[in-house]
Amino acid sequence: MLRITDDISLADWELTEQFIRASGPGGQNVNKVSSAVELRFEAERSPSLTPAVKARLKRLAGRRWTLEGAIVLQCDETRSQVRNREIARDRLVELIQKALIAPKRRIATKPTKGSIRRRLDAKKVRGEVKALRGKIEEG
């Protein structure tokens, strides 16, 4: 069980972890030990998330969202398998918590009469300044 909030937690069947060899420096350790973790969360099939949360999660996950509707997170930051596993799980919790927050609806507002008048006055003044920039005719 992975707790997201007080009322949302993910069951064990929704998460699968696979340990793979990490890339990058590490000497012989990197060739022998599978310290990197690949965490897969079956988001589309998850009963604990609402369709609206799933839609926001899909948008937030981006390329990490697979065609089957799963989120795949990889972590190979540390040399410790346990620490990489914790980091990957923390990232998943953080991602789901972001998706739980519904964006505020934007309320369209009209400009005030004073701001419209000030804008038009400024345009008029600017137009007069530009009109005075023409060639001076000698007469």
Side-chain angles (χ1 to χ4, degrees):
M1 287 288 267
L2 183 64
R3 290 186 73 79
I4 307 299
T5 60
D6 291 335
D7 53 337
I8 297 174
S9 56
L10 306 177
D12 291 333
W13 67 266
E14 297 177 79
L15 299 171
T16 50
E17 291 171 333
Q18 186 177 356
F19 297 100
I20 50 178
R21 288 199 187 124
S23 61
Q28 287 183 344
N29 188 63
V30 80
N31 299 327
K32 295 188 294 185
V33 182
S34 297
S35 60
V37 69
E38 186 178 87
L39 180 68
R40 185 181 175 94
F41 167 55
E42 300 296 334
E44 196 67 54
R45 297 189 302 147
S46 177
S48 52
L49 301 178
T50 63
V53 172
K54 287 178 188 177
R56 286 194 294 270
L57 191 58
K58 183 176 183 176
R59 191 175 46 77
L60 284 170
R63 287 177 41 208
R64 295 173 291 192
W65 187 275
T66 64
L67 293 173
E68 300 90 47
I71 295 175
V72 178
L73 298 171
Q74 284 187 329
C75 181
D76 61 351
E77 287 180 16
T78 65
R79 290 175 64 172
S80 166
Q81 189 182 74
V82 176
R83 184 71 189 114
N84 282 338
R85 186 171 179 238
E86 287 173 8
I87 292 170
R89 283 174 172 252
D90 290 344
R91 284 183 189 164
L92 179 64
V93 169
E94 196 176 299
L95 196 66
I96 294 170
Q97 284 175 343
K98 275 186 189 173
L100 288 172
I101 301 167
K104 288 183 182 175
R105 300 288 300 153
R106 185 188 180 280
I107 301 166
T109 57
K110 288 168 72 173
T112 62
K113 291 235 190 289
S115 69
I116 293 170
R117 194 183 71 249
R118 284 191 297 275
R119 187 180 128 266
L120 293 176
D121 289 345
K123 282 170 72 85
K124 216 173 279 178
V125 169
R126 195 80 191 126
E128 288 170 6
V129 167
K130 288 187 173 191
L132 294 170
R133 286 189 187 153
K135 287 188 178 179
I136 299 171
E137 293 180 14
E138 293 179 34

